[in-house]
Amino acid sequence: MRSLMRSGLTAMGAATLVAATMLVPTAAHAADPAYKVLVFSKTAGFRHDAIPTGIQTIRDLGTANNFTVTASEDAAVFTKANLAQYKAVVFLSTTGDVLNATQQTAFESYVNGGGGYFGIHAAADTEYDWPYYGGLVGAYFSSHPAIQQVTVRVEDAVHPSTAHLPRAWVRTDELYNYRTNPRSTAHVLQTLDESTYSGGDMGDHPITWCHPQSSGRSFYTGLGHTISSYAEPAFRTLLLGGIRYAAGMAKADCRPETGYTSLYNGSTTGWTQTGPGGFTNSDGTLSSTGGLGVLWYSAKKFASYSLKLDWKALGDDNSGVLVGLPAADPNNGSKGYEVQIDATDSADRTTGSVYAVKSADIAARDAALNPPGAWNTYELLVQGERLQVFLNGSKINDFTNTNTARSLREGHIGIQNHGTGDDVAFRNIRIKELGGTGPVTQTVEGEAYTSNSGVQPADHGPASGGKTVGY
């Protein structure tokens, strides 16, 4: 049985985390089913000379990654029937008013119905009089300084567009300022470090972001002005990740994220290892080794909160995230609950399940889950005795504890190192305390969750107790 049994693990160990010398490998994504992408590059204002190179780059990416590209500057392609064949539409440095009212309606219906939008660079300098588009792109262009070198800071190191990048990415481009900051309505993936160049005027300066749009998806990057950008392998991989997210091929939690406090982003201060094995700590990543054990946040207990963390399994591996752990004995399987990571186990012991207590919604889980070697994001929303599990932004489990011998109302959180050969990595563990311990309405990620429904708004798309918990 692939579970952490008690087996003498009641004493708290003082295991020291081992620094790893190698980074956690980033595996190539699994082959996507064939799909189509429309690249639209009509300009009614300034025209970028990088557009032909950009089109060819996306064609090349498609050839290597199983999607075909139609490139057009004819707005007449924006009909409901024609758009239906594409998984994503790329606005490649479009400028000005490029769609009429009928075409706008068709595109709005396409995205809201599940299609994907990807804006590159001057796509933010487009359709200023169409409010829907302003919300879709996330922010409109304001100004830019001269082309120069900049340090781009990666905020999300697990999104398929940015997982390959260093946290500080030095490159040269034309750097847009925007009329508004998109952080409150989009998930920011990268920012510009304004101390590393001249002409930035935003302070907090997002440059790449994503967000759900009704049943569809939106991705935007302000990078990509120069012809030379499209020859950079790192930028080409960013484009591919953005296309795959917009097309729905790669899953990511792109809901806006504000108000979180980091528990782990490279530093293990406040964490304690109990039991054998542990985690190596390198490049802001905790990688499990040996076991069975638990690395738990001993510095504080939490009562009502949203816990988010990014995780990656390299194959058929086993781990989990633990909530409601008692301080006296975090390995006590009769206390707290585990949200499992192991996509091949039985229904009540598989990824997204509350271990041995409640299965995930398997169809919703399968639709949201990225394959081995790719990063995933959990949100565990704990309110009173209710635990909701979100995988890459989609709700996959909703559990209410009725076991009076166990409680979710207050306890520690932890991550499991299951054993040799169970290789699971974690990044960016963060928490948002909500206040209170009862079943009251709380706002998380800009969304209202209530004890009566717990249902995400419709524009986000898919979404017992009493047994001894296993690990």
Side-chain angles (χ1 to χ4, degrees):
M1 178 178 178
R2 304 188 71 187
S3 62
L4 178 62
M5 307 305 291
R6 299 266 297 150
S7 301
L9 298 184
T10 57
M12 286 200 220
T16 303
L17 297 176
V18 181
T21 58
M22 298 296 291
L23 302 182
V24 175
T26 302
H29 66 268
D32 295 326
Y35 62 101
K36 296 181 180 180
V37 171
L38 173 64
V39 178
F40 184 59
S41 55
K42 180 179 178 180
T43 54
F46 183 84
R47 185 168 183 84
H48 286 74
D49 60 4
I51 288 175
T53 303
I55 292 172
Q56 187 57 50
T57 296
I58 297 172
R59 289 191 189 279
D60 293 343
L61 291 172
T63 299
N65 294 277
N66 211 28
F67 63 88
T68 57
V69 173
T70 300
S72 179
E73 298 199 352
D74 183 0
V77 301
F78 282 78
T79 67
K80 183 176 181 179
N82 187 58
L83 291 174
Q85 66 183 301
Y86 300 108
K87 291 292 187 181
V89 177
V90 179
F91 276 50
L92 175 58
S93 283
T94 52
T95 53
D97 187 0
V98 292
L99 300 179
N100 65 29
T102 300
Q103 294 155 356
Q104 290 174 355
T105 298
F107 188 54
E108 184 172 341
S109 177
Y110 163 79
V111 176
N112 288 351
Y117 163 86
F118 183 177
I120 299 175
H121 194 56
D125 189 24
T126 301
E127 294 289 353
Y128 290 97
D129 297 323
W130 181 18
Y132 177 84
Y133 184 84
L136 183 65
V137 69
Y140 284 121
F141 165 82
S142 174
S143 64
H144 66 79
I147 296 171
Q148 58 193 291
Q149 183 175 282
V150 65
T151 298
V152 181
R153 305 289 180 189
V154 174
E155 289 198 10
D156 185 328
V158 304
H159 192 280
S161 67
T162 52
H164 65 293
L165 294 171
R167 296 299 179 97
W169 183 31
V170 179
R171 63 183 311 275
T172 297
D173 213 327
E174 182 182 80
L175 310 170
Y176 277 5
N177 297 309
Y178 299 94
R179 297 184 181 185
T180 56
N181 189 316
R183 190 176 292 277
S184 64
T185 57
H187 177 60
V188 174
L189 302 170
Q190 297 176 307
T191 58
L192 300 181
D193 184 341
E194 291 189 348
S195 70
T196 65
Y197 75 104
S198 299
D201 66 6
M202 295 179 66
D204 174 26
H205 196 144
I207 195 66
T208 303
W209 56 80
C210 57
H211 65 92
Q213 182 73 29
S214 191
S215 294
R217 298 152 304 279
S218 172
F219 183 97
Y220 171 81
T221 183
L223 306 174
H225 171 87
T226 64
I227 292 174
S228 60
S229 292
Y230 296 89
E232 298 176 32
F235 183 67
R236 292 166 71 98
T237 301
L238 184 151
L239 293 178
L240 176 60
I243 290 169
R244 294 187 66 240
Y245 167 75
M249 298 297 160
K251 311 302 181 182
D253 188 351
C254 280
R255 295 173 295 165
E257 185 174 309
T258 58
Y260 282 77
T261 298
S262 177
L263 299 183
Y264 169 79
N265 203 9
S267 171
T268 56
T269 300
W271 293 84
T272 300
Q273 177 71 35
T274 297
F279 288 83
T280 62
N281 181 23
S282 178
D283 191 38
T285 302
L286 292 167
S287 302
S288 64
T289 177
L292 306 162
V294 173
L295 179 66
W296 59 290
Y297 192 71
S298 55
K300 185 176 181 180
K301 291 195 286 187
F302 299 100
S304 182
Y305 55 89
S306 165
L307 174 69
K308 298 189 78 171
L309 72 167
D310 306 318
W311 60 268
K312 175 170 65 174
L314 298 184
D316 181 13
D317 299 301
N318 185 297
S319 185
V321 184
L322 303 148
V323 294
L325 294 175
D329 187 359
N331 277 312
N332 188 337
S334 66
K335 304 292 184 181
Y337 287 97
E338 177 191 3
V339 176
Q340 176 75 330
I341 296 171
D342 184 352
T344 64
D345 213 330
S346 59
D348 66 342
R349 290 171 168 83
T350 189
T351 297
S353 66
V354 180
Y355 190 93
V357 176
K358 185 173 182 181
S359 171
D361 179 332
I362 300 299
R365 191 283 306 276
D366 288 349
L369 182 65
N370 286 319
W375 287 97
N376 293 275
T377 298
Y378 265 163
E379 179 189 3
L380 308 186
L381 180 62
V382 177
Q383 294 174 286
E385 296 294 353
R386 186 181 184 187
L387 166 60
Q388 298 177 73
V389 181
F390 297 82
L391 175 63
N392 296 322
S394 295
K395 184 174 174 179
I396 63 169
N397 209 337
D398 193 339
F399 164 69
T400 298
N401 174 45
T402 58
N403 182 354
T404 57
R406 300 160 68 175
S407 179
L408 288 165
R409 290 182 181 274
E410 188 173 26
H412 295 270
I413 64 98
I415 55 177
Q416 178 200 93
N417 56 296
H418 187 271
T420 301
D422 283 317
D423 301 314
V424 179
F426 296 88
R427 279 182 170 178
N428 194 18
I429 304 173
R430 63 268 194 202
I431 199 162
K432 184 178 194 176
E433 296 186 81
L434 305 176
T437 59
V440 296
T441 301
Q442 300 288 354
T443 300
V444 179
E445 311 288 51
E447 301 169 359
Y449 294 86
T450 71
S451 60
N452 293 326
S453 67
V455 177
Q456 288 183 317
D459 64 355
H460 273 300
S464 95
K467 297 183 180 179
T468 298
V469 70
Y471 290 90

